Amino acid sequence: MKNAEKITLVGIKQDLANGYRGFKNGCYVCHENHGMTFHHLWYLPNEKIYSDFKNSLDYYRYLAPIIQADPKRFLFVCNAHHQAITRLCRWKGVKRKRLIKAVMMTK
């Protein structure tokens, strides 16, 4: 991605974050404000996903009006915590509960 595209992408993310009170504290998990992205809490039928696009800028141009229309469907998180959330979502039900319990037991 070219520098101008990176600047545009960061600008789109900042504008979205500034447009909704729930995003202004930075990452939902750690409250930092670096390497930020938006995490879908749920998808609507026929909604495109990241892999449907050739680059991040095209994806965020598609995603921006969706976030503006319904920001409660998203969390604003840093990339590290987005990756952790996405990985944890691979497990469901009892296995997820046991995994979380194992993390809580770990010192």
Side-chain angles (χ1 to χ4, degrees):
M1 186 181 295
K2 298 176 184 172
N3 269 352
E5 291 173 337
K6 287 179 186 177
I7 291 168
T8 301
L9 178 59
V10 169
I12 289 171
K13 289 180 181 182
Q14 286 175 340
D15 288 347
L16 290 168
N18 290 334
Y20 180 63
R21 184 175 45 114
F23 299 149
K24 290 187 180 180
N25 289 332
C27 176
Y28 177 81
V29 178
C30 67
H31 293 205
E32 294 293 325
N33 205 355
H34 58 276
M36 304 302 291
T37 193
F38 288 88
H39 171 73
H40 278 81
L41 294 173
W42 68 88
Y43 288 87
L44 297 179
N46 301 318
E47 196 166 64
K48 293 181 180 182
I49 61 174
Y50 182 79
S51 61
D52 292 328
F53 296 86
K54 62 181 180 180
N55 61 54
S56 297
L57 183 56
D58 289 345
Y59 176 62
Y60 270 92
R61 285 181 173 149
Y62 164 80
L63 195 59
I66 296 170
I67 294 171
Q68 290 169 335
D70 195 0
K72 291 182 180 178
R73 288 181 44 217
F74 299 87
L75 291 178
F76 192 47
V77 294
C78 67
N79 287 324
H81 288 120
H82 185 252
Q83 189 174 48
I85 293 165
T86 302
R87 287 184 176 174
L88 189 56
C89 287
R90 292 178 186 170
W91 292 276
K92 305 287 182 215
V94 173
K95 288 183 180 180
R96 185 186 302 175
K97 288 178 184 177
R98 288 181 189 150
L99 181 60
I100 292 169
K101 184 177 178 182
V103 169
M104 299 301 289
M105 292 168 38
T106 304
K107 295 179 183 182

